[in-house]
Amino acid sequence: MALSSLVQTPWKGKAKALDQDFEDLDPVITYRHLHAQNLGVRDPLRVIALCDSDAFYAACEMVRLGVDKDTPLVVLQWDAMIAINYPARKYGISRLKKYNLKELKEKHPDLMIVHVATYKEGEKEPGYWDDVDTKTHKVSLDHYRRESMKIAAMFKECLPGCETEKASIDEAFFDFTKCVREIILERYPYLKQVPLDAPDGVDTRLPPPPPIAWDGLGHVIPVNPAPAGEGNAEGTPSNQEASASTRTDEASDPPCTWHDVALSIGAELINKARQQVYEKLGYSTSAGIARNKFLAKLTASYKKPNSQSILRNAAIPKYLRPLPFQKIRFLGGKLGTAIAKEFEASTVGDLLSISLEEMQRKFGEDSIWIYEVLRGIDRSEVKEKSAVNKSMLASKNLPTPITDASEGLHWIRVLAAELALRLNEARETNPNLWPKSIVLHARRGYEASRSKQAPFPFTREVTVDTIAAAGDKLWKELVGSELATKVTSVQLAFTGVEGAEAGQRSIEGFLTSAQSAKRQRGDDTDIRHVSLDDSLADQGNDIATSWTNGPSGDRSSDAHVPSFVCSRCGKKIILPSTTAPSVYEEGHLEALRREHDDFHFAQDLAKESAGGLVISGPSKSRTGNGKPVSGASKGSPKKKKRRKDAPENVGIEKFFRKP
DNA sequence: GTGGATGAG
DNA sequence: CGCTCATCCAC
């Protein structure tokens, strides 16, 4: 019944109000809008894309194994399926169910079943083994992380000048607004000048846009979707990319706008990039193109795999209304559940009757974000993220809880080995990367997990031993002297991982100059060649650490107090005797010396860099644009506190423990 | 800075 | 499901 009132002819008269709940979907676009440089999130020609990799982990394994694209393949982690590629989904295999692998193989002889790579006791690097066992192995996701970086790099290469934000291991956002604007001006040069007879000067509405050839650009989500049960809804195979043209009520679609032109150009751009990624790297992807991030994300899932979809503004109302709102980013968790309960709602349409005031009364000031999102508005920006993750976590769940104290130390060592490998690999491209602190989490039975953390001093050579020693110390603080039993989960993490993020050349040039300067000085503070930890580092996960006296001269004349004198600053460095002796603490003097050396090294770096190299401090993410608060506090909603901005650059000394 | 909670994938 | 990552907040 309401249908007839919705099927109107919006292009008749002023093209306004496509739907009374959704304003702002057909704004007047003027020459001023087109020529403006920084309209940001309010730009009426904004174009955002979200691209994600189809069944990413499974795709990684397919590429690694070089199998045909139609090969059904699943990825296991112990006996759970963590990825199922699309060919395998045709067998009805789903993520949740547990499978008897024998039966599964018998039923589908061509199904490839791959277990993720694992670290194995005694092996230095993760690998693919036949005898995976959760009691002795630890999962490694390194391969996926590396492939993810390759894909991200290729997207950036294919899309120069586009803002990109890697949102997770398998997806990224792109802001095409700027490049699209340039292309529009190139293709339609008559828009460069405001016509002399324009009634309102730069504020004159743009002339009608040219017709859009959607062919090959993806699925254009229909403005008036076919009723459920007929037509090609999701899942129906279709070779045609744009499917709207077969419908009889096509005529009721409103005419295209300049924003639709912009979307179609965005679709061209992402399409080319996706093709490159597929051809060069072998990964199929799905993309969504829309006016903002949350809609782009939603749109990407319209048709998968290996496809892309476009959501015109005009299609937003009917696309959103029936959508279960808990599918929207940030409404999938407790907040979404609370909203569903509070208003007895399940779809976006159910919530459109809730006024902003009521929403805010129940869920706080910030829920204006929710109010807007339900109406297709999202002001969050596509923000370039640092290439390096700020934290690095290695964790292990223990199916059989720890019964012996030594087991905890064993797992810490395995986790430390992984962290060492990962940090050092990251340092290959970002040499002076370091974590501000190290954190150990442990959980007993089903209790909440507890954690302890400590600063992690800068050292150029990060070894298993350095990390394990720090981990062991935290372990003692965490579980104390009481017997470590019933521990069901151990996590070791680096946090505050950062370093120089300036251009690669400047970093390298800088390092070599610093090092050659050092060589010229004839400094002998570099003791890496006699480092105890270095000799141990080659032994993989071996725990054995027998105490050997350092090379002669390592100790001062005082035989009772382990110490040394720095040749650069003359300072006597004494090993603090605050902790009880332990096999894991025997390398401490060496560690201290290296640390002290690294202190000088970094000071040199800081001095010589003066303007060249930027050591970035923690940069605050601004929250003034209506973004959701992801870490919502439980209980009654709190008002958001505006925190003061931290200074952009933090002195390098902050990151060092004073020697 | 520390430790916990929430959310996404 | 197990393993990650990020961000926020009270302390």
Side-chain angles (χ1 to χ4, degrees):
Chain A
M1 43 151 217
L3 204 68
S4 59
S5 71
L6 293 175
V7 182
Q8 48 186 303
T9 53
W11 60 95
K12 200 165 144 193
K14 44 210 174 301
K16 189 67 179 130
L18 291 162
D19 188 306
Q20 51 181 2
D21 286 317
F22 298 85
E23 292 170 22
D24 185 42
L25 292 186
D26 189 19
V28 171
I29 301 172
T30 66
Y31 287 89
R32 190 188 294 282
H33 290 130
L34 183 62
H35 291 116
Q37 286 307 308
N38 34 14
L39 290 173
V41 298
R42 312 216 158 184
D43 197 320
L45 289 171
R46 198 164 183 240
V47 178
I48 307 292
L50 178 282
C51 186
D52 71 88
S53 219
D54 302 321
F56 183 55
Y57 290 179
C60 287
E61 299 301 346
M62 292 171 78
V63 169
R64 183 180 65 84
L65 296 166
V67 302
D68 183 86
K69 68 174 177 51
D70 298 319
T71 311
L73 183 149
V74 299
V75 180
L76 292 186
Q77 182 174 278
W78 314 131
D79 44 5
M81 279 182 199
I82 55 170
I84 304 158
N85 73 2
Y86 282 79
R89 288 183 201 188
K90 288 186 181 161
Y91 293 155
I93 297 170
S94 98
R95 231 128 119 63
L96 305 168
K97 286 182 268 180
K98 273 209 174 183
Y99 288 91
N100 180 328
L101 291 187
K102 303 258 153 56
E103 279 178 26
L104 199 62
K105 264 182 196 164
E106 283 163 20
K107 208 169 164 191
H108 309 290
D110 57 340
L111 176 66
M112 290 195 73
I113 302 175
V114 183
H115 192 279
V116 291
T118 54
Y119 289 87
K120 180 184 181 180
E121 251 173 335
E123 302 281 347
K124 189 146 59 167
E125 301 203 346
Y128 293 85
W129 325 103
D130 291 329
D131 58 338
V132 287
D133 182 353
T134 178
K135 288 186 180 164
T136 50
H137 294 54
K138 189 214 162 294
V139 163
S140 161
L141 302 177
D142 295 339
H143 183 245
Y144 309 141
R145 279 188 277 261
R146 275 194 291 269
E147 293 299 288
S148 172
M149 284 168 59
K150 278 196 218 166
I151 295 173
M154 176 142 304
F155 268 118
K156 285 189 89 163
E157 193 188 318
C158 296
L159 300 166
C162 296
E163 206 67 28
T164 73
E165 175 182 330
K166 198 163 176 291
S168 77
I169 197 161
D170 71 344
E171 62 183 15
F173 286 101
F174 304 90
D175 189 332
F176 289 140
T177 313
K178 257 181 80 180
C179 354
V180 161
R181 179 186 314 270
E182 285 163 20
I183 293 173
I184 287 183
L185 287 172
E186 246 169 59
R187 287 190 193 171
Y188 311 103
Y190 57 87
L191 296 178
K192 286 181 185 168
Q193 307 282 330
V194 182
L196 292 171
D197 60 349
D200 300 309
V202 286
D203 292 314
T204 305
R205 177 196 289 260
L206 295 181
I212 300 171
W214 293 107
D215 295 26
L217 293 184
H219 299 267
V220 182
I221 297 181
V223 175
N224 293 293
E230 83 172 73
N232 62 351
E234 278 174 77
T236 311
S238 159
N239 292 337
Q240 271 176 307
E241 280 287 341
S243 53
S245 56
T246 54
R247 300 213 338 275
T248 50
D249 55 352
E250 178 189 358
S252 71
D253 278 10
C256 284
T257 65
W258 279 105
H259 182 251
D260 292 324
V261 174
L263 290 176
S264 73
I265 293 171
E268 279 176 43
L269 293 171
I270 195 71
N271 202 24
K272 279 185 209 149
R274 287 178 49 237
Q275 264 175 40
Q276 284 291 305
V277 166
Y278 188 66
E279 285 165 20
K280 300 262 170 64
L281 299 175
Y283 292 97
S284 93
T285 54
S286 297
I289 302 102
R291 72 201 292 243
N292 59 41
K293 286 173 82 174
F294 109 87
L295 289 174
K297 165 93 182 155
L298 226 45
T299 301
S301 61
Y302 181 75
K303 186 89 172 59
K304 287 182 169 190
N306 194 20
S307 184
Q308 63 181 53
S309 309
I310 300 147
L311 182 65
R312 299 176 56 203
N313 284 2
I316 291 173
K318 284 179 182 159
Y319 187 58
L320 281 188
R321 275 183 194 279
L323 185 86
F325 64 82
Q326 286 169 317
K327 283 192 182 171
I328 295 173
R329 228 161 59 114
F330 301 117
L331 297 182
K334 294 196 169 183
L335 177 58
T337 308
I339 293 173
K341 265 179 116 175
E342 176 67 38
F343 302 115
E344 295 178 320
S346 69
T347 68
V348 170
D350 295 341
L351 289 174
L352 288 174
S353 56
I354 310 297
S355 71
L356 174 59
E357 291 69 28
E358 187 170 9
M359 191 62 86
Q360 287 182 314
R361 201 160 51 241
K362 299 279 170 48
F363 293 96
E365 290 279 295
D366 288 332
S367 47
I368 183 162
W369 176 82
I370 303 170
Y371 181 86
E372 289 183 333
V373 140
L374 297 170
R375 288 154 180 81
I377 297 163
D378 172 14
R379 303 189 203 286
S380 63
E381 283 171 271
V382 174
K383 232 184 123 230
E384 191 101 16
K385 294 223 186 108
S386 141
V388 290
N389 287 332
K390 293 181 240 337
S391 66
M392 222 181 250
L393 170 71
S395 69
K396 174 69 187 167
N397 280 2
L398 302 163
T400 49
I402 287 180
T403 55
D404 187 302
S406 69
E407 290 180 73
L409 299 185
H410 163 74
W411 281 114
I412 283 175
R413 199 162 177 84
V414 174
L415 301 179
E418 175 175 347
L419 289 182
L421 210 62
R422 284 168 59 184
L423 181 59
N424 285 320
E425 190 184 328
R427 281 181 170 186
E428 282 169 21
T429 47
N430 213 336
N432 43 3
L433 213 54
W434 82 89
K436 271 210 292 270
S437 46
I438 183 169
V439 191
L440 178 75
H441 282 254
R443 197 183 68 212
R444 273 212 168 82
Y446 291 112
E447 297 169 30
S449 87
R450 309 269 333 240
S451 74
K452 281 287 172 197
Q453 55 189 301
F456 192 81
F458 179 91
T459 52
R460 257 170 310 164
E461 309 295 318
V462 176
T463 66
V464 184
D465 301 273
T466 324
I467 303 168
D472 291 345
K473 208 169 157 191
L474 292 173
W475 175 264
K476 281 170 200 150
E477 290 177 32
L478 203 57
V479 304
S481 53
E482 58 182 300
L483 260 15
T485 58
K486 291 181 185 160
V487 170
T488 52
S489 146
V490 189
Q491 310 183 319
L492 196 59
F494 285 140
T495 64
V497 182
E498 49 188 311
E501 291 180 29
Q504 201 54 29
R505 184 151 35 78
S506 77
I507 295 171
E508 275 174 65
F510 187 66
L511 277 182
T512 45
S513 74
Q515 276 162 354
S516 66
K518 192 169 169 177
R519 259 179 260 118
Q520 276 175 6
R521 281 195 304 267
D523 271 353
D524 65 346
T525 48
D526 191 328
I527 57 156
R528 280 176 298 168
H529 58 294
V530 291
S531 153
L532 177 64
D533 279 354
D534 274 358
S535 62
L536 278 173
D538 296 327
Q539 298 175 15
N541 289 343
D542 284 356
I543 300 180
T545 311
S546 65
W547 172 250
T548 56
N549 278 334
S552 61
D554 259 18
R555 287 170 181 271
S556 75
S557 54
D558 187 346
H560 306 299
V561 188
S563 69
F564 68 91
V565 177
C566 172
S567 64
R568 282 192 67 184
C569 63
K571 196 173 158 79
K572 186 176 177 183
I573 310 299
I574 302 173
L575 186 70
S577 55
T578 51
T579 47
S582 137
V583 281
Y584 298 108
E585 290 166 353
E586 284 164 358
H588 275 186
L589 186 60
E590 304 296 339
L592 257 191
R593 182 197 271 270
R594 198 167 42 250
E595 230 173 79
H596 185 80
D597 176 36
D598 288 339
F599 168 76
H600 282 301
F601 176 75
Q603 267 198 335
D604 293 344
L605 283 183
K607 246 180 255 164
E608 290 170 46
S609 85
L613 186 74
V614 178
I615 306 282
S616 67
S619 58
K620 296 294 173 211
S621 60
R622 298 195 144 274
T623 52
N625 56 4
K627 268 200 201 142
V629 214
S630 72
S633 44
K634 56 181 170 188
S636 65
K638 303 277 192 310
K639 274 184 205 158
K640 194 185 305 175
K641 274 175 77 176
R642 188 141 314 233
R643 288 181 291 161
K644 278 197 280 180
D645 280 358
E648 273 305 305
N649 298 313
V650 175
I652 197 169
E653 306 80 20
K654 257 194 93 150
F655 298 108
F656 291 89
R657 199 163 72 191
K658 282 281 148 55

